[in-house]
Amino acid sequence: MADCTDNVTVPGLKNLLQMDPFLKPFEKDFTRRYTRFNNQLMSIEGAEGGFDKYTRSYESFGVNRQPDGSLYFKEWAPGAEAVFLAGDFNDWSTSSHPYNKREHGKWDLFVPPKVDQSPAVPHGSKLKVVIRSRSGQLLYRISPWAKYVVRDHNNMIYDWVHWDPPQPYMHKHSRPKKPQSLRIYECHVGIASPEEKVASYSNFTYNVLPKIKDLGYNCIQLMAIMEHAYYASFGYQITSFYAASSRYGNPEELKELVDTAHSMGIIVLLDVVHSHASKNTEDGLNQFDGTDSCFFHSGSRGEHVLWGSRLFDYSNWEVLRFLLSNLRWWIEQYRFDGFRFDGVTSMLYHHHGIGTGFSGDYSEYFGLHVDEDSLVYLMLANQMVHSLCPDYITIAEDVSGMPGLCCPINEGGTGFDYRLSMAVPDKWIQILKELKDEDWNMGNIVHTLTNRRYGEKCIAYAESHDQALVGDKTLAFWLMDAEMYTNMSKLSPLTQVIDRGIQLHKMIRLITHGLGGEGYLNFIGNEFGHPEWLDFPRKGNNESYHYARRQFHLVEKDDLRYRELYNFDRDMNRVEEKYGWLSAPPANVSTQHEGDKIIAFERGTVLFIFNFHPSNSYTDYRVGVEMSGKYKIVLDSDEAQYGGHQRLDHNTEFFTEAVPYNGCSNSTMVYIPCRTAIVLANEDLSR
């Protein structure tokens, strides 16, 4: 891949440098990265019959049925001495069906149909690729392109199952349009039930999707779909990249799930893990051809010391084929609408972020410590996804703050649509762990929620799956802890701990929603303050499913306070849908008063006011506003249906005065009770 940057023009680089002039010293870095991306793209176009064909390699690799009923098998195993196909269909013979050796480490095999023209390998047959290594050893492997793998209860190793159903699921509904405001429900199919078991795709389709629709989320982000042998890895140790996890059901049931979401106007993102892979050999990619390399770097560069996993060689032509085609597979076959890329920080740097605290100094983002092979892969991935459809969404999980990550490729960026605001949940946990309510710093909260790169969109969240895992606590549990077991009933007196927890839970989520980004994310169950933590069955907990579930039934009980938090989360999303603050420009913060514990800001056509003071309520409190007009309350955390104390009159009209205040041209006077948040809409602008 050429590194020459002479006479290369990044078409829109001036836009990036004008937006952030401090990037000017690194202009050559952006140019070199773009040149490497462009050279790789052109190489693929010239050598593979086009980028389109290259990224549909699942149509030739693995196993594919031909029009005449024959089956074509193909693998890339450069370190193999010989390759065979074994399975039910040939009584597991390791010699009767040898692959033919082709150029560049490729192997292929045609299996003719039966006399009746039906495939010789029926749907549902178990298969293995048998590799004869250079040492002469026979290695039983699963095809990296396997579309379905299963594990019997008595077996620790997954089996490759040929999936070619006679009546595959046919999608009935068109994809929804890309939402202007992205409200994401992060979820895990296996835990999406109150029962102590692995829940199913069908359960999610019929029991969980209606809840998500009711809550006002317009996007779901599905975790742990790509097959992973170890359930407790939360889906982050992938063994089969093309296989939808069989522990929840079969591929057709996942297709129905996605299609049903589309019928509800909900787009579906896949949590994709291309940053590393499981070390498993018999049912993973590791040592597929009997060598230490193949899909991965050999030696220490191919090992992630903290994750105990293998690291891809993104400079390898066949690895790029495999990963790019993998993204397209999920889009074309299952009709996912985009991806949340996991572990992007690990991909971007040779140090993988280990032992590195990113200070924001721009030298941290350029130089030899940046893995430009990986960066070019991410650019190619975004190029492919967005060329298939501009509405498809890509989100980067990056903690480093790499400049340009969410800028267009033709401006020198990496091409993601959004990055996760990972500092926000950390800040909330730090506040709840370390500070008394009266010591909360309003300026620090505002800084954390607004500290993002201008022109690069972010997904804000108060908590995600990371905070729910065993060893940490959800916001609700940090706020209310043991009293959640005893005092969440409306039939018992409201305690100070529960009252405080309910009010702050709503306020934290609303200020994150309103101020923290251009999209919002919630992890399944946290919308109603799900009690306890998340822990998958493992040896350390006696393989228990008690904490690997979501107790939705708590919301359905009218005598419990969980319903109040659910109601608030639902209405927060519905109000955003109406007024669209997430798609509006960044907020104008007019008030961050440390003594009063007040934060106020305008975004779009609405005014947010938060009183975090534990005891002080304020009458005739002046708040600066830029937009003149008449305001009315459209969301009030103090409403009784949200577990509040009903201290505000929603018939009140708030008129602005031409009295400049806190840098704003106008101002208005409000009553704001303690531990209350309100959203007021400018009726003159919202009509």
Side-chain angles (χ1 to χ4, degrees):
M1 199 186 299
D3 279 343
C4 177
T5 59
D6 294 341
N7 303 317
V8 172
T9 300
V10 184
L13 184 57
K14 286 184 179 180
N15 296 337
L16 180 61
L17 300 182
Q18 286 174 358
M19 192 164 59
D20 187 352
F22 291 103
L23 291 173
K24 181 67 176 175
F26 306 101
E27 185 172 358
K28 288 185 177 179
D29 294 87
F30 286 110
T31 302
R32 183 183 63 255
R33 293 172 181 180
Y34 181 82
T35 301
R36 293 191 63 182
F37 155 77
N38 190 64
N39 288 349
Q40 185 71 300
L41 186 61
M42 293 301 100
S43 295
I44 293 170
E45 286 284 2
E48 287 282 346
F51 193 66
D52 177 70
K53 182 179 179 182
Y54 180 73
T55 57
R56 287 187 288 110
S57 290
Y58 49 80
E59 294 179 352
S60 57
F61 281 77
V63 54
N64 286 278
R65 177 161 48 87
Q66 306 303 300
D68 64 356
S70 64
L71 295 171
Y72 179 61
F73 293 82
K74 186 177 182 181
E75 301 294 345
W76 175 63
E81 284 295 311
V83 180
F84 305 90
L85 182 69
D88 295 332
F89 79 104
N90 66 359
D91 294 325
W92 294 97
S93 169
T94 58
S95 59
S96 64
H97 288 77
Y99 284 68
N100 300 299
K101 189 172 184 177
R102 305 299 183 188
E103 290 183 320
H104 310 301
K106 312 280 188 9
W107 301 80
D108 67 2
L109 165 67
F110 273 101
V111 178
K114 296 178 181 178
V115 176
D116 63 0
Q117 298 304 302
S118 65
V121 181
H123 166 67
S125 300
K126 289 184 178 180
L127 296 167
K128 289 282 187 181
V129 177
V130 182
I131 304 287
R132 183 192 295 155
S133 70
R134 291 168 182 168
S135 66
Q137 185 180 8
L138 290 182
L139 306 172
Y140 288 81
R141 296 289 188 254
I142 288 177
S143 170
W145 304 79
K147 303 175 180 70
Y148 189 54
V149 296
V150 299
R151 183 173 66 186
D152 294 334
H153 293 298
N154 299 325
N155 194 356
M156 292 297 293
I157 304 299
Y158 274 79
D159 289 311
W160 173 20
V161 173
H162 178 48
W163 191 259
D164 187 19
Q167 294 181 319
Y169 182 83
M170 302 300 292
H171 293 276
K172 305 176 182 69
H173 306 284
S174 59
R175 299 175 188 264
K177 291 184 178 179
K178 180 180 179 179
Q180 285 190 312
S181 296
L182 196 60
R183 301 183 299 274
I184 303 172
Y185 197 80
E186 182 187 37
C187 41
H188 184 293
V189 169
I191 68 170
S193 165
E195 298 180 59
E196 296 185 25
K197 65 176 186 179
V198 178
S200 67
Y201 293 125
S202 295
N203 167 73
F204 197 95
T205 300
Y206 295 107
N207 296 324
V208 182
L209 281 177
K211 292 181 174 66
I212 297 171
K213 175 66 175 176
D214 180 61
L215 281 163
Y217 291 94
N218 54 21
C219 173
I220 59 174
Q221 178 180 299
L222 286 177
M223 307 173 63
I225 294 297
M226 301 164 75
E227 190 60 271
H228 47 293
Y230 184 41
Y231 189 42
S233 74
F234 220 149
Y236 291 120
Q237 293 270 346
I238 305 301
T239 45
S240 290
F241 284 73
Y242 283 77
S245 182
S246 60
R247 55 173 52 89
Y248 319 128
N250 65 51
E252 311 314 303
E253 290 164 341
L254 175 57
K255 292 174 184 177
E256 182 187 24
L257 187 163
V258 175
D259 196 32
T260 304
H262 286 167
S263 75
M264 298 177 176
I266 298 171
I267 65 171
V268 187
L269 305 182
L270 177 69
D271 195 346
V272 70
V273 185
H274 281 182
S275 49
H276 65 132
S278 167
K279 272 191 172 180
N280 287 21
T281 53
E282 288 192 56
D283 54 8
L285 290 184
N286 192 20
Q287 300 178 23
F288 173 69
D289 65 350
T291 70
D292 181 49
S293 52
C294 198
F295 288 93
F296 310 105
H297 290 290
S298 60
S300 60
R301 191 179 174 189
E303 307 271 347
H304 197 294
V305 295
L306 291 186
W307 295 345
S309 53
R310 298 303 312 272
L311 298 173
F312 288 105
D313 179 359
Y314 301 103
S315 68
N316 187 293
W317 188 274
E318 296 302 324
V319 172
L320 290 178
R321 179 200 305 279
F322 180 77
L323 295 176
L324 291 170
S325 296
N326 186 231
L327 297 175
R328 189 158 184 181
W329 165 260
W330 292 107
I331 286 175
E332 301 283 8
Q333 296 297 313
Y334 290 92
R335 305 189 76 206
F336 280 93
D337 303 293
F339 304 96
R340 178 260 199 193
F341 281 75
D342 179 70
V344 168
T345 304
S346 175
M347 299 174 72
L348 291 175
Y349 307 97
H350 291 298
H351 54 64
H352 309 298
I354 300 172
T356 304
F358 293 96
S359 66
D361 188 298
Y362 279 8
S363 64
E364 296 170 342
Y365 308 119
F366 304 94
L368 295 177
H369 51 282
V370 176
D371 188 341
E372 292 195 352
D373 292 334
S374 174
L375 192 64
V376 167
Y377 162 65
L378 291 172
M379 295 169 75
L380 289 167
N382 278 300
Q383 169 75 13
M384 183 198 71
V385 170
H386 292 122
S387 65
L388 289 173
C389 179
D391 278 357
Y392 294 160
I393 293 169
T394 59
I395 301 171
E397 188 213 26
D398 170 46
V399 72
S400 75
M402 168 74 79
L405 191 68
C406 299
C407 290
I409 293 170
N410 64 8
E411 293 182 6
T414 312
F416 284 99
D417 295 298
Y418 298 87
R419 58 159 34 103
L420 293 175
S421 293
M422 300 179 72
V424 173
D426 292 342
K427 174 56 65 176
W428 288 123
I429 295 298
Q430 179 200 2
I431 289 171
L432 295 176
K433 285 174 66 174
E434 300 177 4
L435 300 178
K436 298 177 181 178
D437 291 5
E438 56 268 27
D439 295 331
W440 286 26
N441 186 298
M442 302 295 102
N444 188 248
I445 291 172
V446 168
H447 173 75
T448 302
L449 289 169
T450 58
N451 183 27
R452 54 188 184 271
R453 291 189 57 77
Y454 181 77
E456 299 192 41
K457 294 189 288 187
C458 291
I459 303 294
Y461 56 106
E463 53 185 339
S464 70
H465 67 271
D466 289 324
Q467 288 71 42
L469 287 171
V470 63
D472 206 338
K473 296 180 182 180
T474 62
L475 287 180
F477 223 55
W478 277 113
L479 288 163
M480 295 176 278
D481 208 31
E483 287 207 20
M484 295 191 76
Y485 294 113
T486 56
N487 296 326
M488 286 296 280
S489 172
K490 295 181 184 178
L491 304 178
S492 61
L494 179 64
T495 67
Q496 289 185 354
V497 169
I498 298 298
D499 186 28
R500 170 184 178 269
I502 286 176
Q503 309 320 321
L504 290 178
H505 191 272
K506 294 177 292 185
M507 295 179 71
I508 288 170
R509 296 169 74 80
L510 179 58
I511 196 171
T512 302
H513 205 303
L515 191 57
E518 290 68 39
Y520 178 76
L521 178 144
N522 165 71
F523 178 63
I524 181 171
N526 287 352
E527 69 276 3
F528 63 84
H530 197 284
E532 302 176 323
W533 51 88
L534 184 61
D535 190 13
F536 288 88
R538 53 189 174 85
K539 287 183 179 179
N541 64 12
N542 295 319
E543 304 295 337
S544 171
Y545 285 85
H546 180 74
Y547 297 108
R549 59 188 180 127
R550 297 284 90 176
Q551 300 181 55
F552 292 118
H553 61 284
L554 297 175
V555 177
E556 296 161 7
K557 295 182 178 181
D558 292 334
D559 60 340
L560 295 180
R561 302 186 189 279
Y562 296 101
R563 182 73 195 186
E564 298 167 345
L565 296 176
Y566 178 100
N567 290 343
F568 182 78
D569 198 82
R570 176 199 64 205
D571 291 352
M572 175 175 68
N573 285 323
R574 290 180 178 180
V575 171
E576 197 288 325
E577 173 69 20
K578 181 175 181 179
Y579 295 101
W581 60 71
L582 286 170
S583 58
N588 172 38
V589 181
S590 61
T591 304
Q592 41 188 326
H593 197 289
E594 299 302 339
D596 295 343
K597 301 300 178 193
I598 297 286
I599 295 173
F601 58 88
E602 292 173 274
R603 192 167 184 192
T605 61
V606 294
L607 170 65
F608 294 80
I609 306 172
F610 295 81
N611 180 3
F612 282 100
H613 203 286
S615 56
N616 289 358
S617 300
Y618 303 103
T619 303
D620 294 335
Y621 196 91
R622 187 170 293 277
V623 176
V625 289
E626 196 59 41
M627 302 174 294
S628 62
K630 180 177 73 174
Y631 287 79
K632 291 203 72 172
I633 295 172
V634 292
L635 186 64
D636 168 17
S637 71
D638 199 45
E639 273 198 68
Q641 65 165 321
Y642 309 142
H645 302 286
Q646 201 72 44
R647 290 168 290 185
L648 290 167
D649 181 0
H650 288 201
N651 293 318
T652 303
E653 296 177 336
F654 301 89
F655 293 91
T656 59
E657 304 172 79
V659 177
Y661 192 73
N662 282 352
C664 296
S665 303
N666 303 284
S667 58
T668 188
M669 307 278 275
V670 299
Y671 167 54
I672 182 73
C674 62
R675 285 188 182 137
T676 296
I678 55 175
V679 180
L680 301 97
N682 187 316
E683 293 202 323
D684 296 337
L685 297 175
S686 302
R687 290 194 178 102

